[in-house]
Amino acid sequence: MNSVVVVGGGLAGVRAVEALRGKGYQGELTLVAEERHRPYDRPPLSKAVLAGERDDTTVDADWNALDVRLLLGERATALRPDPGPGSGGTVATTAGDLRFDGLVIATGAAPVTLPGDGAQRVVRTIDDARVLRERLAPGVRLVIVGAGWIGAEVATTAAAKGCAVTVVEAAGAPLANAVGPEIGRLTVPWYAEAGVELRTGVKVAAVEPGGLALADGDRIPADEVVVGVGVRPALDWLEGSGLLVERGVVTDASFRVTDGDGALRPDIVAVGDCAAWWSRRYGRRLLVEHWDTALNAPDVAAATLLGEEAEYDAVPYFWSEQFGRMVQYAGHHPAADRMVRRGDPADKGWGVCWLAGDRLEAVLTVRRPRDLVQARRLIAAGARVDPEAVADPDVPLRDAVRTTAGS
Ligand code: FAD
């Protein structure tokens, strides 16, 4: 392999570059990145950057040693794979055509926006965060659409800056899509405590100048509107490439894509927020839009490109900092058949474990980082636990493990 192109200059892109060099790849390496900034971390954007505590989140990488041709501010516009697995292809970009023997697709995701001709802000890039930060002044009426992770984090920061914050959510509870309404409802008091008005079950028809038009004909006036209703993989440039895309780029557990002839391509991998990868652990495809996957999965993608046998089999993990609380989640709960509460949500720290039978499938913790660490290990090991011990917050989770089935 003599020429590798990485498309996308987010965390997954830079980690792919580092992994390729780290594994001894010495050929040409080009990174095509639409943003003009060197790769940076996004999690602080809705937290420390918005709060004005940090301005720079650039990923610490030794670009000289990496010996990469960095095409910042350039976009990939099309992909033309040559027919036949392993035969490479061409990426068309705003800087011209690039031939490749190996390609990493790491174009991440872009925020979904709402209809309407009113100004709506999103928080995806550092530029978005810096602009919004300037608008968050005391008394500003900020309306946030979406009580998901980003909406809650932006509400936290804006309320602390003295804005009059309203969060509008179509579902019946915050975080309902991510963790289910029952758990999401437990976060409702956090909004009131912070002086944020939360309106659930409210459907927005459009963003108009001066505020929101609701589906029921009502209006919510706003000086600023932030939309946090989710993201979509940024894959428009793959149109016509023949690659199998179902929301994300479909890959196997080694991040190999499938081309228009239905063949797995060992020379084209997709990773990070744009990839829907096969999880052997869960027996289904996962599209995980979180930092930990963008950090760790590129190592496997790089190994695959270099012809090594590698599979990604991690337990998904993410965190959120909202309303003064560290919220962490590990696992994947759709297969669970019960939830066990761990501690009282009125207390400082609490959690929830999802079980399938007595196997620990997933955990959510609020200010209980030790539980998270222990549960993550147990989930990875497929451990079986005693639900009664899990329900007792004084019993360390690692001591809730059953050594023999049913014991
Ligand atoms: P991205 O970071 O989206 O990077 C992809 C890059 O590719 C972008 O720079 C994009 O401009 C570029 N690109 C797109 N199309 C093209 C093209 N055609 N040509 C060239 N370049 C292109 N996760 C957590 O686990 N915890 C958190 O607390 C958390 N907080 C977050 C807060 C915010 C505000 C945001 C936005 C995300 C947060 N995340 C968090 C999610 C995490 O940041 C993402 O999962 C991670 O950034 C994904 O990395 P990526 O490299 O796959 O994609």
Side-chain angles (χ1 to χ4, degrees), residues 355 357-360 378 383-387 390 397 400-402 407:
L355 310 185
D358 57 2
R359 199 179 56 238
L360 185 59
L378 297 178
R384 297 183 181 280
V385 291
D386 171 4
V390 166
L397 275 176
V401 174
R402 281 188 162 149
S407 74

Side-chain angles (χ1 to χ4, degrees), residues 11-12 34-35 42 47 76 107-108 124 150 273 290-291 319:
L11 183 62
E34 188 176 10
E35 292 183 65
R42 293 184 203 276
K47 309 173 184 79
T107 43
R124 184 71 193 178
I150 301 281
D273 276 14
H290 296 300
W291 186 88
W319 80 97

Side-chain angles (χ1 to χ4, degrees), residues 7-13 32-35 40-47 74-77 106-109 123-125 150 153 234 236-237 271-274 288-292 294 317-321:
V7 183
L11 183 62
V32 187
E34 188 176 10
E35 292 183 65
Y40 57 87
D41 269 325
R42 293 184 203 276
L45 301 185
S46 48
K47 309 173 184 79
E74 305 289 357
R75 230 186 102 69
T77 52
T107 43
V123 188
R124 184 71 193 178
T125 68
I150 301 281
E153 292 187 352
D236 50 335
W237 66 284
V271 73
D273 276 14
C274 69
V288 177
E289 293 152 347
H290 296 300
W291 186 88
D292 185 70
Y317 163 74
F318 69 84
W319 80 97
S320 169
E321 291 157 52

Side-chain angles (χ1 to χ4, degrees), residues 191-269:
Y191 288 73
E193 261 171 37
V196 173
E197 186 189 0
L198 172 67
R199 295 177 59 177
T200 55
V202 175
K203 295 204 172 41
V204 175
V207 182
E208 295 182 339
L212 296 182
L214 304 183
D216 64 7
D218 214 351
R219 279 183 59 83
I220 302 180
D223 300 315
E224 295 289 336
V225 173
V226 172
V227 176
V229 295
V231 294
R232 221 177 263 132
L235 299 174
D236 50 335
W237 66 284
L238 292 182
E239 218 177 298
S241 67
L243 258 49
L244 185 58
V245 172
E246 283 174 16
R247 190 170 150 88
V249 182
V250 172
T251 79
D252 69 357
S254 306
F255 299 117
R256 292 177 295 192
V257 307
T258 298
D259 70 15
D261 298 323
L264 268 180
R265 297 286 300 233
D267 52 338
I268 306 180
V269 292

Side-chain angles (χ1 to χ4, degrees), residues 60-389:
D60 192 15
D62 186 347
W63 293 101
N64 286 337
L66 288 171
D67 189 18
V68 182
R69 187 174 164 219
L70 257 182
L71 297 178
L72 296 181
E74 305 289 357
R75 230 186 102 69
T77 52
L79 168 63
R80 295 189 294 274
D82 290 348
S87 51
T90 304
V91 176
T93 80
T94 46
D97 282 1
L98 302 173
R99 286 285 311 161
F100 66 83
D101 302 325
L103 174 68
V104 180
I105 297 172
T107 43
V112 173
T113 52
L114 296 175
D117 55 5
Q120 47 184 305
R121 299 186 187 284
V122 294
V123 188
R124 184 71 193 178
T125 68
I126 191 146
D127 299 323
D128 295 336
R130 286 174 180 156
V131 170
L132 180 61
R133 180 173 71 192
E134 297 313 311
R135 307 278 172 156
L136 300 183
V140 165
R141 293 170 308 168
L142 174 71
V143 176
I144 300 168
V145 185
W149 304 113
I150 301 281
E153 292 187 352
V154 173
T156 301
T157 311
K161 285 188 154 193
C163 298
V165 186
T166 303
V167 178
V168 177
E169 167 60 50
L175 302 175
N177 290 340
V179 296
E182 194 177 330
I183 303 306
R185 262 193 290 278
L186 299 176
T187 73
V188 168
W190 304 354
Y191 288 73
E193 261 171 37
V196 173
E197 186 189 0
L198 172 67
R199 295 177 59 177
T200 55
V202 175
K203 295 204 172 41
V204 175
V207 182
E208 295 182 339
L212 296 182
L214 304 183
D216 64 7
D218 214 351
R219 279 183 59 83
I220 302 180
D223 300 315
E224 295 289 336
V225 173
V226 172
V227 176
V229 295
V231 294
R232 221 177 263 132
L235 299 174
D236 50 335
W237 66 284
L238 292 182
E239 218 177 298
S241 67
L243 258 49
L244 185 58
V245 172
E246 283 174 16
R247 190 170 150 88
V249 182
V250 172
T251 79
D252 69 357
S254 306
F255 299 117
R256 292 177 295 192
V257 307
T258 298
D259 70 15
D261 298 323
L264 268 180
R265 297 286 300 233
D267 52 338
I268 306 180
V269 292
V271 73
D273 276 14
C274 69
W277 46 279
W278 180 257
S279 165
R280 197 180 291 283
R281 175 183 299 277
Y282 296 109
R284 54 176 292 186
R285 273 202 292 275
L286 297 182
L287 202 162
V288 177
E289 293 152 347
H290 296 300
W291 186 88
D292 185 70
T293 309
L295 179 77
N296 293 310
D299 201 62
V300 170
T304 301
L305 267 196
L306 299 178
E308 296 169 22
E309 288 293 321
E311 285 197 354
Y312 190 66
D313 194 27
V315 170
Y317 163 74
F318 69 84
W319 80 97
S320 169
E321 291 157 52
Q322 46 182 280
F323 304 110
R325 292 159 172 91
M326 174 60 106
V327 181
Q328 293 169 288
Y329 175 99
H332 182 66
H333 64 266
D337 49 43
R338 64 193 286 203
M339 279 189 290
V340 178
R341 188 86 66 75
R342 193 166 154 76
D344 183 346
D347 290 346
K348 190 163 171 264
W350 54 275
V352 180
C353 290
W354 282 265
L355 310 185
D358 57 2
R359 199 179 56 238
L360 185 59
E361 294 283 310
V363 65
L364 177 136
T365 61
V366 178
R367 290 192 185 127
R368 287 184 69 99
R370 196 166 296 158
D371 276 2
L372 189 286
V373 171
Q374 293 182 11
R376 199 173 171 186
R377 283 199 199 114
L378 297 178
I379 295 164
R384 297 183 181 280
V385 291
D386 171 4
E388 272 180 37

